[in-house]
Amino acid sequence: MSDINSYNQILSEIGQLFFSCGSGVPLAGVPFSDVCNGVLDCSSGADESICDTGGYASCSFEEFTCASRQCIPLEARCDLLQDCQDGSDEENCDLDCPHRLCTNGRCLPRAWFHDGQVDCSDGSDESTPNEHPCIFICNRTKCVTRHMLNDSVVDCRGPEGPLDETLGALESVNCTGDESFRPTYTNNWAPKCVLVNDNWGETIGCRDFQHLENCKDFICPAGYAKCPESFCIPLGYINDGKQDCGEGEDESPQFPHTSTQLFKCHPHKRQYIPLQSVCDGRKDCSLGEDEFDCDYTCSPGFICIAGAVSAVRYNKNLARRPNLMFIGPGTRYLDLSGLYLPDFFTTYPKGHFSHLLILNLSSCGITDDLGRKNLASSHSFGNPNSKKDFRMVQKLDLSHNEVVSLRNFSLVHRMRKLKELNLSHNNKFIDVGGITFMVLRQLKVVDLSFTAIDRIYKYSFDLSNDLETLSLKQTRITKLNFYFPKQLQYLNIEQTIIEAVDKGIFKDIQKPMREISSSSYKVCCPQVLGTRIPGRVCHFPKESVSSCTDLISERSLRVMLWLIGLSNLVGNVVTLIYRLTWDRKLLLKPYGLFVTNLGVCDVLMGCYLIAITVADTSFQ
């Protein structure tokens, strides 16, 4: 994994390596490693809505599987903290309390016993003597007593860090006066002028907050920020969405913001750790986010960021083949564009792409045969997981290749979850194959622009119930004699010379389309669009001669055509009558015969123009 300084540079250089939550969403993008993990990272939920149960990774034997398929540490089960987003880790915990039980059977954190405040409904948390009361809890369930504070022995090794040493080193006060006059079974310790909350949101220290009084001149220790003329709070509490200072100053944009020195474990959790704790071999974040992909050694020329791998920096002129074994099985975004695929894809790590969501193979020199070769080679290694490779791909870019047909393209046909397919700029592509849309029934976007395809079979889209966007821009299709899919919303057939259009091509459309772009007015005629598609959504260049309702669209052109046709016909008929009756001598001369023949031709031209005007009137 790259160091923290270069991470920010990479982040600004290639933002496409992050999953887009959608436009208008507060959290614009999340790492691909957070997609399909059972946790809603996007406020819109887009990172989980694209997945089904097959898109989630299996939890290890050291992890607990939430009902939502999210994985959490096994010790997080029934610890009174909701780690599963659906709360399933805290269900059915009646017989498994890792803390302490009230007399009535309620499970409460150990630190809530003998803290001077009644939490059990029967008061048993304050009535039962205890020689060594807990000051706070670490490692989820470990009780830290007063004699364990700042004793040079690290007892807390959980995600909160060594709290027994860090908090114990702070200046402290007694909550109930002189320690010698306090019952030994009651907690009396508090960090002076420092607000720290435990995992359950309760303040560590005096329950009446007297340890946070008279703090105007108190100097905050390292790692803490001072509320105006008041107590100190940890840096991680700044701008975290929760007010901690008395008047919420810590959430103000004007408050000194120094939390950039910290690593935020999760977008929706109040947990920060020092940057130096990232990838140090110890899980400091509650879900271990600080150690994700840390053992990931990215090959030179590639960029690897939290579930995303891109060859954007790879030198395409190098003759040697890079080793792709570094690509981890958790990869969800893979961009190999520009690499010559016969040198790379035949040796892809088998069983490592079972969770891949986005695959970019643009400009890779791919041909039809590649799919069959790779499907065979994927089974030749004997890896049972290889059968799942690419089955979760939802977006595939095969543009700028040498694909001729998808009829026998096994690599594509195994992507049953595919939603977006880009085949544009495959100059040799001529056949999409009816079987493609029979197999890939979840397709929503198909781009066939700038290809050599010249026909689509009449019932090719019969089973494409989800296809919403289709681009046939600058193809060789001349006849629209096939039926468009039921859910089609956007159609682009610009720069395509359409000679004939069947009236029923849109008959299966179930709801009004949003946009049709065409270079021919024929597609936009009412008799073609039908009653379900409004004419305003169909856009085409305005022609000066013909339209859907007029053979001749301009009134001035129709008037001129009538005048020219009639004058031509009448004038030349009169001329011919004159020459054939009163001036027949000129017919014996060459020029006279020539002029007479021209007159006959002009009469025929006049008849032709009159026929056009009559046809225009009839067409209207």
Side-chain angles (χ1 to χ4, degrees):
M1 178 178 179
S2 303
D3 59 271
I4 298 299
N5 294 330
S6 62
Y7 180 88
N8 291 330
Q9 178 182 354
I10 295 173
L11 192 63
S12 61
E13 181 179 351
I14 41 176
Q16 72 268 21
L17 294 188
F18 288 80
F19 177 81
S20 175
C21 292
S23 59
V25 178
L27 186 59
V30 298
F32 272 96
S33 56
D34 289 342
V35 178
C36 297
N37 65 347
V39 179
L40 296 177
D41 299 284
C42 295
S43 58
S44 62
D47 58 311
E48 300 302 315
S49 62
I50 68 169
C51 314
D52 56 17
T53 55
Y56 295 101
S58 300
C59 300
S60 68
F61 67 93
E62 296 179 344
E63 295 176 313
F64 172 76
T65 303
C66 306
S68 63
R69 310 289 297 177
Q70 176 188 354
C71 301
I72 64 171
L74 195 59
E75 60 269 19
R77 164 77 170 148
C78 295
D79 64 348
L80 300 180
L81 293 172
Q82 180 177 322
D83 296 281
C84 295
Q85 197 164 54
D86 57 11
S88 57
D89 59 316
E90 299 303 316
E91 296 176 354
N92 303 317
C93 296
D94 296 341
L95 301 178
D96 189 11
C97 178
H99 293 277
R100 289 189 63 179
L101 291 171
C102 301
T103 304
N104 60 9
R106 182 186 178 189
C107 183
L108 290 178
R110 294 174 183 268
W112 291 12
F113 285 77
H114 309 290
D115 61 351
Q117 179 173 315
V118 175
D119 297 290
C120 296
S121 59
D122 56 8
S124 57
D125 59 312
E126 301 299 322
S127 61
T128 305
N130 182 6
E131 290 190 16
H132 302 289
C134 287
I135 296 177
F136 58 87
I137 301 293
C138 68
N139 301 356
R140 294 187 178 272
T141 58
K142 186 176 181 60
C143 175
V144 177
T145 59
R146 185 160 185 167
H147 73 274
M148 297 168 63
L149 298 175
N150 199 24
D151 61 352
S152 300
V153 177
V154 177
D155 297 287
C156 297
R157 301 180 181 276
E160 305 89 357
L163 285 183
D164 56 316
E165 299 304 305
T166 56
L167 284 182
L170 300 177
E171 184 179 352
S172 63
V173 295
N174 294 323
C175 296
T176 56
D178 192 341
E179 180 73 10
S180 60
F181 296 100
R182 180 194 62 82
T184 58
Y185 56 81
T186 303
N187 176 30
N188 195 35
W189 179 91
K192 182 180 181 180
C193 293
V194 173
L195 172 68
V196 181
N197 296 323
D198 61 19
N199 291 328
W200 298 274
E202 295 291 340
T203 301
I204 296 177
C206 305
R207 285 298 185 97
D208 58 2
F209 303 105
Q210 61 174 293
H211 66 295
L212 302 179
E213 298 174 352
N214 303 318
C215 298
K216 179 179 180 180
D217 299 324
F218 183 80
I219 299 176
C220 296
Y224 294 84
K226 190 174 181 63
C227 296
E229 300 185 353
S230 186
F231 50 83
C232 307
I233 60 173
L235 294 178
Y237 287 13
I238 301 174
N239 293 328
D240 65 346
K242 182 179 179 181
Q243 295 182 355
D244 297 286
C245 293
E247 297 182 2
E249 297 93 337
D250 55 309
E251 298 303 311
S252 170
Q254 288 74 35
F255 195 83
H257 194 292
T258 54
S259 61
T260 53
Q261 304 171 13
L262 304 172
F263 175 82
K264 189 172 185 180
C265 293
H266 192 277
H268 305 313
K269 286 193 174 183
R270 182 189 177 101
Q271 188 179 14
Y272 294 79
I273 64 171
L275 286 179
Q276 57 268 27
S277 297
V278 178
C279 292
D280 62 351
R282 186 182 69 185
K283 294 183 179 180
D284 297 293
C285 293
S286 58
L287 297 179
E289 299 96 320
D290 56 312
E291 299 301 317
F292 284 171
D293 296 324
C294 290
D295 55 349
Y296 210 84
T297 304
C298 200
S299 182
F302 290 82
I303 294 179
C304 312
I305 300 179
V309 178
S310 174
V312 65
R313 292 182 177 178
Y314 191 82
N315 187 351
K316 309 302 191 297
N317 298 321
L318 294 178
R320 61 182 178 86
R321 177 193 305 171
N323 187 351
L324 298 181
M325 293 301 295
F326 72 91
I327 300 178
T331 302
R332 298 186 182 275
Y333 175 97
L334 179 60
D335 181 2
L336 296 177
S337 58
L339 302 182
Y340 188 51
L341 198 56
D343 290 338
F344 293 89
F345 201 72
T346 54
T347 57
Y348 76 88
K350 306 303 182 293
H352 280 215
F353 295 155
S354 58
H355 297 108
L356 194 63
L357 295 175
I358 298 178
L359 178 60
N360 188 347
L361 301 176
S362 177
S363 304
C364 293
I366 299 176
T367 62
D368 322 13
D369 296 329
L370 184 63
R372 293 193 294 273
K373 291 178 182 178
N374 280 306
L375 184 62
S377 64
S378 68
H379 295 285
S380 62
F381 287 80
N383 189 334
N385 294 325
S386 64
K387 296 181 179 180
K388 298 181 180 180
D389 284 337
F390 306 108
R391 292 193 181 277
M392 299 308 303
V393 172
Q394 298 193 16
K395 184 176 181 179
L396 174 64
D397 189 345
L398 285 172
S399 61
H400 298 277
N401 282 294
E402 300 177 5
V403 178
V404 176
S405 171
L406 289 185
R407 184 176 297 276
N408 297 312
F409 210 123
S410 303
L411 176 62
V412 175
H413 289 166
R414 71 192 301 185
M415 300 177 184
R416 303 299 178 92
K417 307 293 183 182
L418 196 63
K419 290 180 172 59
E420 296 185 28
L421 175 61
N422 186 357
L423 288 165
S424 64
H425 296 89
N426 279 272
N427 298 328
K428 300 179 180 180
F429 187 81
I430 58 173
D431 183 16
V432 70
I435 190 175
T436 298
F437 297 105
M438 292 177 61
V439 175
L440 307 178
R441 297 189 182 186
Q442 297 187 26
L443 275 173
K444 289 184 177 293
V445 179
V446 175
D447 189 350
L448 299 174
S449 59
F450 300 95
T451 62
I453 187 170
D454 57 359
R455 70 183 184 280
I456 295 179
Y457 296 104
K458 191 169 186 177
Y459 300 101
S460 293
F461 297 113
D462 265 14
L463 298 177
S464 301
N465 296 327
D466 295 330
L467 189 58
E468 296 178 349
T469 302
L470 176 64
S471 178
L472 299 173
K473 183 177 181 179
Q474 196 168 324
T475 59
R476 298 181 183 178
I477 295 176
T478 57
K479 296 181 180 180
L480 296 182
N481 55 359
F482 52 89
Y483 300 130
F484 286 105
K486 302 175 183 178
Q487 303 297 328
L488 191 64
Q489 293 289 286
Y490 301 93
L491 173 64
N492 189 339
I493 47 178
E494 294 178 325
Q495 302 178 34
T496 299
I497 302 175
I498 303 298
E499 298 177 354
V501 181
D502 286 1
K503 293 183 179 180
I505 58 176
F506 294 110
K507 71 180 184 65
D508 293 333
I509 301 295
Q510 296 181 349
K511 56 183 180 180
M513 294 181 63
R514 297 185 179 182
E515 184 176 358
I516 301 176
S517 299
S518 172
S519 296
S520 172
Y521 72 90
K522 299 176 182 178
V523 180
C524 300
C525 292
Q527 55 268 41
V528 175
L529 295 179
T531 58
R532 295 184 180 179
I533 304 177
R536 65 178 181 275
V537 303
C538 197
H539 308 288
F540 60 92
K542 187 177 181 181
E543 298 186 17
S544 59
V545 179
S546 300
S547 68
C548 289
T549 56
D550 297 293
L551 187 62
I552 304 174
S553 59
E554 297 292 336
R555 181 181 180 86
S556 58
L557 292 176
R558 291 199 297 270
V559 172
M560 290 183 63
L561 194 59
W562 274 107
L563 293 175
I564 294 174
L566 289 173
S567 60
N568 194 14
L569 179 62
V570 173
N572 283 285
V573 168
V574 172
T575 300
L576 288 175
I577 293 174
Y578 172 77
R579 290 194 178 278
L580 292 175
T581 55
W582 290 284
D583 199 10
R584 298 185 63 180
K585 295 181 180 180
L586 289 176
L587 295 177
L588 300 176
K589 297 181 180 181
Y591 80 87
L593 183 61
F594 177 73
V595 171
T596 302
N597 288 335
L598 286 178
V600 173
C601 292
D602 287 342
V603 168
L604 296 176
M605 178 60 70
C607 293
Y608 173 70
L609 294 176
I610 295 297
I612 292 178
T613 56
V614 171
D616 174 56
T617 302
S618 176
F619 187 73
Q620 292 178 359

